[in-house]
């Protein structure tokens, strides 16, 4: 999918008024994805969410233009990503995930800056920047020219980023990108993720995440495992830790 829907949402006050109370009655915790155009805006939104029943955690979408830095995304360098993470960290004790962008030359220093700034976990990855040309082939298809590419096409890129990040930080990694079946979940666990999200595929089947949880439990039983934990990191060259020289050399 190549989408440019923007960050369609009803706004933080409506989320609190209409949804948080409903979420409080659910058996699963709800993590709210937060966007902003300045550090102050992220902090303000998170302050309002903090302490509301039904909101179990915050995930920062840092693939947003920072108006104060000429529209450069927070996610593209360690300074931008680290500073927004640090400011939000000071504003909340809720579990804080920070979502990495794949549209960078080297994600590892960015991941380290976010971890050093106090994030509890990293999410990897957001959509890949892409464009399409309109039928007739004379102009860009999307009004915003650029869209976000998602779905199975991006899985190898997302896997590579999770693989790199898992060797660069000690905090947990939540993987997302092109998951449609159990094999994808197993792949992400193997490169070091401890949890998996499903995006595009839920447009086709909203129940997929629930089935994947059941299938993963079945797979663990089939392998004689009491938990999925032994599956985490099996494809990594070494134990998760500081970035290795081998990781630096590996540039296909
Ligand atoms: C229609 C659509 C809307 C999205 N909105 C957001 C968003 O608001 N915040 C965010 O961090 N990521 C957003 N994403 C990115 C997804 O959460 C996910 O990182 C990306 O699509 C890759 O995963 P997937 O291949 O499973 O979709 C959106 C993706 C799509 C397709």
């Amino acid at each position: 999918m190549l989408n440019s829907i923007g960050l369609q949402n009803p706004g933080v006050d409506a989320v609190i008024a209409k949804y948080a109370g409903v979420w409080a009655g659910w058996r699963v915790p709800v993590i709210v994805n937060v966007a902003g155009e300045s550090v102050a805006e992220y902090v303000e939104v998170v302050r309002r969410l903090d302490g509301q029943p039904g909101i179990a955690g915050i995930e920062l979408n840092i693939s947003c233009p920072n108006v104060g830095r000429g529209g450069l995304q927070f996610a593209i360098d360690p300074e931008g990503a680290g500073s927004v993470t640090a400011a939000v960290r000071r504003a909340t004790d809720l579990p804080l995930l920070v979502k990495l962008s794949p549209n960078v030359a080297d994600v590892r220093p960015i991941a380290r800056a976010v971890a050093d700034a106090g994030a509890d976990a990293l999410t990897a990855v957001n959509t890949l920047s892409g464009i399409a040309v309109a039928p007739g082939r004379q102009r860009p298809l999307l009004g915003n020219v650029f869209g976000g590419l998602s779905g199975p096409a991006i899985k190898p890129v997302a896997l590579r980023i999770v693989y790199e990040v898992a060797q660069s930080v000690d905090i947990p990694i939540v993987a997302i990108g092109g998951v449609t079946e159990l094999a994808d979940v197993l792949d992400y666990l193997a490169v070091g993720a401890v949890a998996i999200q499903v995006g595009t595929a839920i447009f086709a089947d909203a129940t997929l995440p629930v089935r994947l949880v059941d299938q993963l439990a079945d797979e663990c039983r089939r392998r004689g495992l009491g938990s999925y934990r032994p599956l985490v990191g099996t494809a990594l060259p070494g134990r998760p830790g500081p970035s290795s020289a081998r990781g630096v050399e590996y540039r296909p």
Side-chain angles (χ1 to χ4, degrees), residues 35-240:
E37 289 187 342
S38 65
V39 170
E41 208 169 82
Y42 281 97
V43 168
E44 176 62 23
V45 171
V46 170
R47 279 225 170 91
R48 291 197 206 182
L49 293 169
D50 188 55
Q52 297 290 340
I55 293 170
I58 302 291
E59 180 183 70
L60 296 187
N61 174 8
I62 58 171
S63 300
C64 300
N66 180 351
V67 170
R69 287 178 72 205
L72 289 178
Q73 289 187 5
F74 292 93
I76 63 159
D77 60 40
E79 208 278 319
S83 60
V84 67
T85 303
V88 170
R89 177 73 292 169
R90 285 192 291 274
T92 185
D93 290 327
L94 285 170
L96 177 62
L97 294 82
V98 177
K99 187 164 176 181
L100 299 171
S101 169
N103 305 313
V104 296
D106 187 353
V107 76
R108 288 167 297 183
I110 299 166
R112 280 194 287 267
V114 167
D116 290 347
D120 296 303
L122 296 168
T123 307
V125 294
N126 218 310
T127 51
L128 275 71
S129 179
I131 66 169
V133 175
R137 314 274 171 231
Q138 277 148 4
R139 57 189 174 75
L141 175 67
L142 300 172
N144 192 38
V145 182
F146 300 96
L149 184 68
S150 63
I154 73 167
K155 185 186 147 193
V157 177
L159 270 177
R160 185 262 300 169
I161 290 176
V162 174
Y163 177 92
E164 289 180 329
V165 172
Q167 294 170 78
S168 306
V169 299
D170 290 327
I171 58 175
I173 302 165
V174 180
I176 177 165
V179 172
T180 63
E181 59 183 14
L182 179 66
D184 303 320
V185 173
L186 297 173
D187 289 353
Y188 278 117
L189 293 174
V191 296
V194 300
I196 320 289
Q197 296 180 4
V198 181
T200 302
I202 59 170
F203 286 96
D205 177 3
T207 66
L208 177 64
V210 180
R211 275 192 291 114
L212 291 175
V213 168
D214 292 342
Q215 289 172 6
L216 179 59
D218 288 346
E219 179 68 14
C220 289
R221 269 191 293 276
R222 199 181 65 75
R223 298 188 192 201
L225 302 172
S227 122
Y228 70 89
R229 285 279 166 172
L231 303 175
V232 173
T234 54
L236 294 173
R239 280 156 49 87

